[in-house]
Amino acid sequence: MRTLLAVMAIWVLFAPIAAADLVQNGVVFADLNADGVRNAGEAGLSGVLVSNGVDVVATDRQGRYAVATPSHGEIFVIQPPGYQVAIDETNTPRFFRLFRGAPPALGYPVPPASEPAPDSLNFPLTRGGPGSQFTALLFADPQATTDRELTFVRDDFLAPAAQHEAAFAVGLGDLINDDLALLPRYRRLTGTLGIPVWAIAGNHDLNFQATEDAHSLETFALHYGPARYAFMVGDAVFVALDNVTYLGRGTSTTPNPR
């Protein structure tokens, strides 16, 4: 009997993502040589979940899916047990594709306008990951304000944490303290753990130069992708949620946790 474990409960009070009249098709496949490209002999995987942030669909027997294309959002694969999504050079999971229009000027780098989506948006998965028993690193509020404080994060937290044999890590929000220019170095530092490092946005990861909630996590999205997503490891389902509502003018609120 499988166990469902929902963790990392940080949700957002959000308006539904507006989806265009377009449907994105693609394949989730077993990436046997881990090159990120579907080659001959790399079969599609059935029953894998794919989402646009509102709808969740399962791949068919050939690994195919179809889901509405968001006008401003993401399409992402939900890592199934026994497989791992692709990671980049900083060990950050790359399990999504961003869909964006013309970017607003927010003072920090944001995702560029999207190129036309391919006819088939494919997601590679490699076999691996732990079984039902595993160790993970969960850490909240590193909240570095300066580059010097990031050095403290490196020396006082990440160096000791790297001694643990964990399967993956999750940063549970407030990765930095308002200065989004620190995110690139933060990613490089957490990448030294040598394991996939998932991230959740906190209120100090918002872009306070945004004028509305819809653009408050654009810089976060550039570095980490969706603010709400899910992934599976062993018998557990991890659900990343976002309860920060940006009110504009440098302010935000979170609902009463009770």
Side-chain angles (χ1 to χ4, degrees), residues 112-244:
S114 302
E115 298 290 336
D119 291 337
S120 182
L121 176 58
N122 300 337
F123 291 105
L125 296 175
T126 56
R127 285 193 177 276
S132 59
Q133 299 295 317
F134 59 86
T135 298
L137 294 173
L138 307 180
F139 50 92
D141 295 84
Q143 205 163 325
T145 302
T146 64
D147 200 60
R148 182 168 180 261
E149 290 182 4
L150 273 181
T151 300
F152 296 154
V153 172
R154 179 195 68 189
D155 296 342
D156 299 338
F157 167 66
L158 293 175
Q163 305 306 310
H164 296 273
E165 295 184 3
F168 62 94
V170 185
L172 299 175
D174 290 350
L175 311 178
I176 47 83
N177 190 30
D178 300 340
D179 185 0
L180 304 184
L182 298 175
L183 279 176
R185 186 183 178 213
Y186 174 83
R187 277 181 58 202
R188 292 195 300 271
L189 291 178
T190 57
T192 63
L193 291 171
I195 53 178
V197 182
W198 303 82
I200 295 176
N203 61 302
H204 288 285
D205 303 313
L206 299 174
N207 190 323
F208 289 120
Q209 299 188 44
T211 59
E212 58 182 330
D213 187 58
H215 291 134
S216 63
L217 286 173
E218 286 297 271
T219 301
F220 177 90
L222 176 68
H223 291 284
Y224 291 108
R228 53 189 184 276
Y229 59 91
F231 64 96
M232 304 180 193
V233 181
D235 294 332
V237 180
F238 291 81
V239 182
L241 307 172
D242 169 19
N243 69 345
V244 181

